[in-house]
Structures are given as structure tokens and as C-alpha cells.
Amino acid sequence: MNQRTAPAVTALVALTSVLVLTIRYDGYFTGPAVLFWWYGACWTLFALAVLALRRVQARRVVPLLLAGAVAVTVTGLIAPPRTSTDSYRYAWDGRVQSAGISPYDHAPQDPALVRLRDPWLFPVGAACAGQDRARIPGTGTAAAPHCTRINRPAVHTIYPPVAEVYFLAVDQLSPSGARHKPFQIGAGLLSLGVTAALLLILRRRGGDLRLAAYWAWCPAVPIEAVNNAHADVLGVLLAVAGLGLAAARTMSRKAAGGLLLGAAIATKLMPAVVLPGALSGVRRMRDAAAVLLPAAAFTALSYLPYVLLSHGSVFGYLDGYVTEEGYGDPEAGSRYALLRLALPDVWALPVLLGAMACVALYVMWRGSPQRPWSGALLVTGWAFFLLTPGYSWYALLLVALVALDGRWEWLGIALAGAAVYILGPVFDYQAALSVTAYGLALLLVLLATAIRARKTSPDPSREGTGTARAAHRVVGTDQAGPRGSATPGGDRPLT
């Protein structure tokens, strides 16, 4: 190990060690403030590791990056899911489908599915003492209650069809009694797949392969994608691959990219925010259709088998979820927190829709078709700032976009989401927490953007279009240079 590699290795070892301690600490209910301090330590070491990677020789970057990706990923496997119970619903939906039943037809507590229950997902008696257990009404006694690990057991599933196919596949491949581990392992493999896809796209684009560390070593990945096994990681993989193909010049590859983006949307819906990025710089209708039509067709057709097999709605609890999270009522909860800080509550939703439309149109008109992820990052980032969501795993998509684009300052959104989710109970889920967390993340983006613009400002004595090019570079939607070039808009080294 030479002097240029040693600091990165040391920081990476420290990062994985602290990740182990963080994931082993079961403090979501008993010590959320302490847990967030552990999160902060992980993010600090992550920043040091990424900075140290800048000094590593080019030929050593990929081996070190991949070794670190494996080590960081494995830390998520050392404990059961710590801060989310979503994977228990995944396991249930997979089991229901294996029994030949549509996952959209019954809620978990429905007596019609009692034969599918087991003591792991549906504990009895003393095992119901955990704070993450939900009582099943009409069953058991006060001395021997019946409960479930599945959250919201009275409502139907919310997950789209590609996610449901994934749940079925994991259930079919899992040995009996494997419990939560198959979904963690599956998510770990998918997260490593994202790393591989990032490296492949960056290499083909002549970019700096170090950028992939923003995903591969990010603490959000082992915590949310692996330990909590969120299906979002499958949507991230499909979205990254889709954007990589959408950047191609041939119609066939663009269409393949559209299919993958449709699959991403049919996994978790949220990847729909990258579509404006996929249409960056499109001037001809056929170019837009090459992406949009396959995406829309795949999304619609993926629902068709479940529509035919189900007796009820295949959208499940989606409408109830939107209402529960306050997205339909601007006066409820901590959604639209930054907008509500400056505007009357009733203005929040229309202003949000107008602002997102403007950002999307700007990206589609001024963006680079060779760098669709730059526009996608801009749209996704502003969606977070305007919506201020309360779930930290939503930011996994944004982390992957940062790894493609290189503008590290947007990672502040991922840390802000973790602060809101972990510290919510401490601050009684007040809007002030969302304002503070997302406000600081927004300030970081604005400061970094201003500094980057100042550094890239052209020499006033020189003629030409430098000013316009620098302005485009600020938002990351300028034209990419030739493969491997260092022209504005090309992939940049870590900063």
C-alpha cells in the first residue's frame, strides 16, 4: 500500500467500522438522537473517504472502489431491519403471490389469508411486545395477543407490479425460515449492481470513475437499501441503466432506455421524476417519443396481468398514503415545509406544481442529451426541496444521480431526509424540523453552486461564449464534450 492509497483505505476501514456500530445500535425507538449522531459520524467518514480517493492513482481506483463497495454493503447485513418494517410487507406480498393470490386483493389482517401466517410475521403473546408490532383486532386475548410485524396491516398493498414481481421472485428463491435475510441479500446485490452500472456508464462517457464512490460508499446505501431492504434500490438500478441508454444517439438504445425507465416507474413510481432529464435537449417529437412511448407502454402493460388476476384496485393504498402523508392537504403535517415558510398554506400545492413544471421545461429545453442525469438530478433535487418528504430512503435515487453527475452538494438532501425521519419523534414531527434540515441542504446547494460558478467564470478579457457556458455549468445541463474530454459539461473529478 503506497502513501497515496493509505489515507483512503484508512478512512474506508473507519467508515465500515462505524457503519457496523450504527446498524447494530437498535435505537430508533429508544434513542433516536443518539442514533442520528451515529449517522453523522458515518457521513463524516464517508466525506473523508471520498476526499482521500481523489489522491489514489487511477489504476488503483476501481479495485479500491469495488472492495469498499462490498465492505460497505455487507455492513447492512449484520442485523435485522432497524428503522423500517417495509420489507416485512414485501415478504408477505411475495408469500401471498406464491400461494396463487393477487397481493392487491387482501389486507394482511384479512381472515381469508390466515392459513399463510407464521410466527415470524404474525407473532403471538410475549413476542407482541415490540414497538413495531401492530395488533390484529378480533384475535387473541389480553394475555396472549395476536399481532404482526407488517405496518398498516388493515390496508391493501401500495407497491407497483414490477416491485411485486421482485417480491415473488425473492420468495420463490428463499429457503424456508429465511425470514428477513433474503430481501437484505437481494437488496445488497442490487446495490452492487448500481455501482457496476455507474462505473460502466462513467467509463463509456470518459468520466472520472471516482464519482461512483458517491453511491458505493454512501451510508444511505447500507442503511436504507440493504439493512432496511427497501425496494427503491431496484428502481434506482433500472433508472440509472435507463438514463445511460437514453444518452445514446441511436433510436433503438433510446427506446431500450425508455423501457427501463418504465420498469423503474413500475417499481416505485418516484423514478418518474427523471423523465424530464431523459428528454434533455430534445428538439424533435420522434426523439421524445422514442423514450416516452416505451416508458408509458411498459408501465401500463406491467399492470395488465395484475388487473386481470385481481378482484380489486391494483393501486391499493396509494390514495390513502397520499392523504396520510399530507400531500393532498397543504395544511397538514410537514410537507411543503419550505414553501409554507414563505407562502400561505393554500398556495403551497399550486406553487409546487408551477415550479416543478418550470424546472422540467428548463431541463428539457436547455439540458444536454448526452448528460440526461444532470437534468434528472436538478428536477429530483428540487422535488425534494419543494415536497420535503419525511422518508429517508426516497433519496437513494438522488444519491445515484449525484454519482453520475458529480455535484456532491446535492447529497445534503439525503442527510436532511435522514434527520427528518430519525429525529421526527424527538421533535414531535414538527414542520420546523423539515424547514431546518431541508433549509440547510438548500443553503449548501446554493453556496456550492455560487462558488462553482465563480471558479468557472471566464476571463473578462476573452471573447466568446464563456459566460453562457459557465451559466449552464452551474445547473449541470450544458453540452458534454467529446469522450474523455475536460470541456464544460463533461464528467468532472471529485470536488
Side-chain angles (χ1 to χ4, degrees), residues 450-460 462 466-467 470-471 473-474:
I451 292 171
R452 186 175 289 111
R454 187 168 184 174
K455 286 183 177 180
T456 56
S457 294
D459 187 336
R462 296 176 59 184
T467 301
R473 188 183 304 145
V474 171

Side-chain angles (χ1 to χ4, degrees), residues 78-435:
I78 65 173
R82 289 305 198 193
T83 60
S84 171
T85 57
D86 284 0
S87 62
Y88 301 134
R89 170 76 75 157
Y90 305 167
W92 177 250
D93 282 4
R95 181 179 303 174
V96 168
Q97 292 179 87
S98 291
I101 302 170
S102 169
Y104 299 104
D105 281 347
H106 302 276
Q109 69 179 33
D110 192 326
L113 302 181
V114 68
R115 62 186 175 86
L116 300 179
R117 297 177 185 174
D118 68 358
W120 170 54
L121 287 177
F122 293 85
V124 177
C128 288
Q131 290 180 279
D132 60 345
R133 311 293 195 268
R135 287 291 302 272
I136 299 179
T139 60
T141 63
H146 288 204
C147 63
T148 179
R149 296 176 185 271
I150 303 169
N151 61 56
R152 301 179 181 89
V155 304
H156 293 207
T157 192
I158 193 176
Y159 298 105
V162 171
E164 291 294 345
V165 171
Y166 170 61
F167 304 157
L168 173 60
V170 173
D171 183 76
Q172 290 286 307
L173 295 171
S174 301
S176 178
R179 299 160 67 96
H180 61 274
K181 196 59 70 177
F183 279 96
Q184 288 184 328
I185 294 173
L189 294 174
L190 289 171
S191 69
L192 292 174
V194 174
T195 300
L198 291 169
L199 287 171
L200 180 61
I201 294 170
L202 290 169
R203 186 182 294 277
R204 286 185 174 179
R205 299 293 301 169
D208 189 342
L209 301 183
R210 293 175 177 85
L211 295 178
Y214 284 135
W215 167 271
W217 298 357
C218 181
V221 175
I223 292 172
E224 301 297 357
V226 184
N227 182 254
N228 289 325
H230 284 292
D232 300 64
V233 67
L234 174 58
V236 170
L237 176 59
L238 293 168
V240 166
L243 287 173
L245 288 172
R249 297 181 183 277
T250 63
M251 288 296 178
S252 59
R253 289 196 173 188
K254 286 183 179 294
L259 286 173
L260 288 174
L261 292 175
I265 295 167
T267 299
K268 205 61 192 293
L269 298 184
M270 184 181 170
V273 297
V274 308
L275 284 176
L279 300 179
S280 294
V282 170
R283 295 291 184 269
R284 297 181 301 178
M285 185 63 68
R286 70 170 188 171
D287 291 335
V291 174
L292 289 180
L293 290 182
F298 189 100
T299 302
L301 291 175
S302 66
Y303 273 99
L304 183 58
Y306 286 100
V307 169
L308 297 176
L309 293 172
S310 303
H311 300 291
S313 170
V314 294
F315 295 109
Y317 186 58
L318 181 60
D319 182 64
Y321 171 82
V322 171
T323 302
E324 177 184 307
E325 291 300 312
Y327 290 112
D329 181 6
E331 299 182 10
S334 59
R335 303 294 78 81
Y336 318 112
L338 294 178
L339 286 175
R340 291 166 62 190
L341 186 66
L343 299 170
D345 289 348
V346 295
W347 289 14
L349 186 56
V351 170
L352 162 76
L353 295 175
M356 289 307 303
C358 290
V359 175
L361 289 172
Y362 176 81
V363 165
M364 288 188 286
W365 182 252
R366 301 298 295 271
S368 166
Q370 286 78 44
R371 292 176 56 84
W373 42 83
S374 292
L377 175 59
L378 195 66
V379 175
T380 304
W382 279 104
F384 273 91
F385 286 138
L386 296 173
L387 289 168
T388 58
Y391 293 126
S392 49
W393 51 91
Y394 288 178
L396 287 171
L397 175 60
L398 181 136
V399 172
L401 294 174
V402 169
L404 280 172
D405 180 74
R407 284 173 290 167
W408 56 268
E409 61 269 19
W410 292 91
L411 289 175
I413 291 175
L415 186 55
V420 172
Y421 183 68
I422 297 298
L423 298 177
V426 177
F427 293 93
D428 196 27
Y429 300 99
Q430 293 295 316
L433 175 59
S434 291
V435 168

